[in-house]
Amino acid sequence: MLKLENNTETHSSGTRNNWARACDNCRSAACTVYCRTDSTYICKNCDAHIHASHERVLVCEACERAPAVFLCKADSASLCSTCDSDIHSANPLARRHHRVPILPILGPLYGTSTAGDAEDEFLTQDEDDEDEAASWLLFNPVKNSDSQGNDNGPLFGGDVDEYLDLNEYNSCQNSQFNDQYNNNQQHYNVPQKSCANDSVVPIQFLNGKDQVHQQFIQLGLEFEAGYSYPASMSHSVSLSPMDVGVVPESTMSDNSISHHRPPKGTIDLFSGPPIQMPTQLSPMDREARVLRYREKKKTRKFEKTIRYASRKAYAETRPRVKGRFAKRTNAEGEVDQRFSSSLIAESTYGLVPSF
DNA sequence: ATAACGGACGTGACCACAAATTAGG
DNA sequence: TGCCTAATTTGTGGTCACGTCCGTT
């Protein structure tokens, strides 16, 4: 439910409420962007008609009352400096979120699609995809071998790596970037964090910083403007626990096809040999990868997905004690067996096919 | 302004067992 | 090489315990 407020209260006043700022033009809809050119808050419709040629930035998704300054990639949210500070200073995990400065919007904010899809067709989506795909492209789906030449199976390859966020890596880079960035824009006060972290995994660059830079150039990717390589580069990559914990179910079939099954247990993402940077990618390869990445990004979903409907059906019929599965008694087993038999006989439901 | 309290909320562990997978003959 | 059997691993959902957040006093 949209909450509107015609207010003149500045966000920095410290008094925050849940009311979204109304469009300064029509006063009837919640603002979506802040026009730097006119210093006004504009809703989606007014923006499309009036401000297409102006320089705008998204409005903070948290307070909806101030222009966004940072884009949090972990939360996929545009945040103003105040909300960014509040949210990302809350706990150590939040502090690790990878945020990048919001880039101004030039041109139409939304495409010509329906309003329902408009949110997903933000102009800078491509740039964002490029940026996110950049992390993904860092890893080739090459087999990983240890020092003895043993094949350890794929590491961060194929369809898995694309979902792994190189937050820490980028953050380390960005910390350097921010230093320089802050010289130009004093109000960007992202809390700096140490690159040294328990969960940081060393990454092996091929031949130092120049080659790394070259890799990005070859990929057609660049660090954010103003970035300069530090004298002592921290070659590290880390994975957000959130990202590691989430395995997109939609890719499961792909994984089962393209990857070997890990020996036993889960893949230890925080150990093992260093990750090799990709060698070279032709423009066509890169284009194909970015396209594939975007397609997967469209279809990826983080809600729980049932892989085996039969197991789900069985789990739902299992006896429980305080939510835990309980042992079946003989009587329950007979009843259940009869229940199952009747279901099969009626053939209305039948057996739930396994995938 | 600060501390204490309590409700709301989010997250992970736990359980049994059929199904899936792997290993060995 | 293919088949069979036994052993091992995986996946499933409701509830509880615990920690955190946030508003109130």
Side-chain angles (χ1 to χ4, degrees):
Chain A
M1 190 64 179
L2 189 64
K3 291 175 289 187
L4 294 177
E5 179 194 22
N6 283 329
N7 79 83
T8 56
E9 180 185 20
T10 58
H11 177 73
S12 57
S13 64
T15 57
R16 303 172 64 175
N17 55 42
N18 294 327
W19 297 91
R21 182 186 289 269
C23 172
D24 288 337
N25 186 56
C26 67
R27 302 273 176 190
S28 62
C31 64
T32 309
V33 296
Y34 173 74
C35 176
R36 287 178 175 172
T37 306
D38 293 342
S39 300
T40 55
Y41 291 87
I42 303 298
C43 71
K44 183 172 60 184
N45 291 332
C46 294
D47 179 82
H49 293 107
I50 303 172
H51 287 259
S53 61
H54 290 184
E55 177 182 314
R56 297 98 72 213
V57 292
L58 286 176
V59 169
C60 174
E61 293 180 30
C63 65
E64 299 181 294
R65 298 166 58 83
V69 178
F70 297 105
L71 172 65
C72 174
K73 298 206 164 187
D75 296 328
S76 297
S78 307
L79 301 170
C80 66
S81 57
T82 304
C83 291
D84 175 79
S85 177
D86 290 346
I87 292 171
H88 292 111
S89 62
N91 55 66
L93 191 61
R95 275 193 286 271
R96 296 180 58 198
H97 286 184
H98 176 211
R99 289 106 74 202
V100 297
I102 285 283
L103 297 176
I105 306 161
L106 292 172
L109 177 57
Y110 301 114
T112 56
S113 60
T114 60
D117 297 328
E119 292 290 336
D120 296 329
E121 300 196 17
F122 178 45
L123 176 69
T124 60
Q125 185 64 48
D126 282 355
E127 298 167 13
D128 189 47
D129 278 354
E130 294 281 334
D131 190 25
E132 198 169 337
S135 321
W136 174 48
L137 290 168
L138 283 175
F139 301 109
N140 261 345
V142 293
K143 289 215 167 188
N144 176 38
S145 300
D146 59 20
S147 56
Q148 282 79 35
N150 298 323
D151 186 0
N152 292 331
L155 181 61
F156 301 125
D159 296 319
V160 177
D161 54 2
E162 68 199 82
Y163 294 106
L164 301 178
D165 196 352
L166 307 180
N167 290 348
E168 213 67 29
Y169 171 74
N170 289 332
S171 297
C172 290
Q173 313 299 340
N174 287 340
S175 67
Q176 299 296 331
F177 151 70
N178 284 331
D179 289 342
Q180 191 160 345
Y181 199 87
N182 287 338
N183 293 335
N184 300 329
Q185 308 205 21
Q186 297 293 331
H187 60 286
Y188 287 155
N189 55 342
V190 176
Q192 299 299 307
K193 55 178 283 310
S194 170
C195 292
N197 195 304
D198 290 346
S199 61
V200 170
V201 177
I203 183 170
Q204 179 182 358
F205 288 108
L206 296 178
N207 253 337
K209 58 184 182 183
D210 291 336
Q211 214 158 5
V212 175
H213 193 184
Q214 196 174 0
Q215 296 288 353
F216 276 81
I217 293 173
Q218 286 165 349
L219 293 172
L221 304 168
E222 281 289 353
F223 289 122
E224 288 89 341
Y227 175 81
S228 64
Y229 290 105
S232 60
M233 212 169 161
S234 176
H235 299 170
S236 62
V237 116
S238 90
L239 305 161
S240 160
M242 294 280 288
D243 297 326
V244 173
V246 175
V247 179
E249 298 286 351
S250 58
T251 64
M252 199 62 72
S253 57
D254 293 341
N255 291 342
S256 63
I257 293 171
S258 59
H259 293 158
H260 296 298
R261 183 189 176 88
K264 297 241 174 174
T266 57
I267 302 171
D268 186 0
L269 296 176
F270 302 104
S271 65
I275 301 154
Q276 290 285 337
M277 293 290 290
T279 53
Q280 285 195 3
L281 281 178
S282 69
M284 288 194 66
D285 283 343
R286 180 183 175 278
E287 183 71 16
R289 287 192 178 207
V290 170
L291 282 174
R292 190 162 67 96
Y293 166 78
R294 285 178 183 161
E295 283 304 308
K296 292 233 171 194
K297 189 183 177 184
K298 281 181 190 173
T299 59
R300 70 181 171 183
K301 48 190 176 185
F302 295 98
E303 63 265 27
K304 188 174 182 179
T305 303
I306 301 302
R307 295 179 60 197
Y308 301 99
S310 58
R311 291 181 174 179
K312 171 182 170 63
Y314 212 87
E316 287 174 344
T317 64
R318 301 259 284 276
R320 298 167 186 274
V321 176
K322 290 186 177 182
R324 297 180 178 184
F325 294 126
K327 288 186 177 181
R328 286 183 189 275
T329 63
N330 292 337
E332 285 173 340
E334 290 176 8
V335 169
D336 184 67
Q337 204 162 17
R338 267 184 265 137
F339 175 71
S340 299
S341 300
S342 63
L343 283 181
I344 295 172
E346 291 175 9
S347 72
T348 305
Y349 301 98
L351 293 175
V352 181
S354 296
F355 305 118

